[in-house]
Amino acid sequence: MTIPKLFASDVDGTFNNASHDYDAVYFAKVLEEINQRGSHFIIASGRDSRRIAQTFKPFIGKIDIVSNNGAYVKTADGEVIGTFPMDPAVVVAAHEIIEAIPTKLKRTTVFTGITKHYMFRHEALVNWQHTVWLLSLSKLVLIKDFTDIDEPIVKITFSMDEHQTTTFIQQARAELDGKAHVTTSGYGSIDIVAPDVNKAHGIQLIADYYGLEAADLAAFGDGINDIEMLDLAGRPFAMPNGHMALIEAYPAACADNNNNGVLKTIEQLLQDNLQDTKTAN
């Protein structure tokens, strides 16, 4: 059995633990072995590239990044190989659908551009703590109307009661009629991106960049927005703590996100390959 040439992992609920942290020392050890084998590690997340860069600062330059659920793709050497903005008219239409939700949002709508986040001023108080947090992390611009946005939007995100997400996704997909991809990473979070954009699409770009095939990919995920990525992978792994739809459809990682499941499973894959090599010799 050959070692995977690509390893891709979701962040929240998969690579990160419940405290939104990870074992950086352990990751450095595993990443060094991955790179020594000529393989590549991809962070594939609904997070935007700025948050990923902050979270994985010690490893930037050594990992490839698929951010915004596939809408922005950047290689380890810093080359942006994919940016997939939404049609401005669809951005407006999607916001109208969100505004029509009959119950109050848990987190207000954020429009993610290449360089900045945007939020309507009149919506900033929906969850003031979230707004302050965004202001502390990145360039958040409070806008009066859509004309205040001066760059393409690659993702719309907001949060609602989790039990309402399935109904909203079905409704939004029907109303947007294929003009956007609507998904959830769980916990009530909704992401809207350009049509046919998802983590698998971004990972395929990276695979093409390195001249590799999907069969060379081992992927890890816990949420609905990881399904396309896991379907693409030759070796998909669902986190034991993940959504039941994934647990029922894919092999399980050897531990959950609170016990370094991604890194332990990768180590096992590397070790199995080493044993196979010794046996063959």
Side-chain angles (χ1 to χ4, degrees), residues 12-32:
D12 297 299
T14 300
F15 194 84
N16 280 8
N17 57 35
S19 298
H20 306 291
D21 200 2
Y22 63 94
D23 188 332
V25 174
Y26 191 6
F27 182 35
K29 173 179 174 290
V30 174
L31 182 60
E32 182 178 5

Side-chain angles (χ1 to χ4, degrees), residues 203-217:
I203 290 170
Q204 186 63 63
L205 290 179
I206 291 176
D208 293 343
Y209 180 84
Y210 291 121
L212 300 171
E213 303 292 336
D216 296 317
L217 170 67

